[in-house]
Amino acid sequence: MSENAPSPEPESTDGRLLRGARARRTITRHAVDVASLEGLNGLSFGRLATDLRVSKSGIQTLFRTRQNLHLATVEAARELFADAVVRPARAAPAGAARLRALVGYWIEYAEKPLFTGGCFWAANLPDFDSRPGPVRDTLAQQHRRWLSLIAGEMRHAVDAGEIAPLDPDLAAFQTDAVLNAANTALRLGDQDAAGKARRVIDGLLTRPV
């Protein structure tokens, strides 16, 4: 090879990075399913290596620590949830219509379910709510953003005169509580859980007299 020939190193490095990114996506997608069923505490390098039939050392190389694995799993769950619920709902006009879209997509997310064990946050927030650290902080931040999204649409609906006056933050809290209750009921086999949730939330979205 001449001294002026381009080095193959950048292409080789790019290839490794792409393979690493694909491996991370595959691993975290499976990890989200496991954590939705058994909680993040059910995740380990060995467990994932066995499930996916890959080397434990390969997973350790990608994530380094169990905490990093947990954080990557939480972020993967957020992104998958956004694709299934938040982004599709943006097609609806802001306010009451978008609220109904968010609720509808959320119920689909829990009914199908998108994750093996149902709602990822319902499975993991109770385990980490009293355990300070980066994983708790990330879960809590994601939950606050969800509540803020609902409250913002509630506020828009009130300001636009689409629904009767209410406390947007309280209504968001109530909506989230109902959806979590529906998730539990669905896991326990209540076939009418989605209908009950919709009826309760529709009661919050009454038109002004």
Side-chain angles (χ1 to χ4, degrees), residues 43-64:
L43 289 180
S44 68
F45 295 138
R47 164 68 185 276
L48 293 175
T50 299
D51 287 355
L52 296 171
R53 298 181 180 180
V54 298
S55 72
K56 179 179 175 181
S57 62
I59 297 178
Q60 286 177 312
T61 298
L62 287 171
F63 297 99
R64 303 294 180 184

Side-chain angles (χ1 to χ4, degrees), residues 183-200:
N183 175 72
T184 300
L186 285 166
R187 306 281 74 77
L188 294 174
D190 183 350
Q191 300 301 313
D192 192 34
K196 291 172 184 174
R198 285 190 175 94
R199 290 195 294 276
V200 172

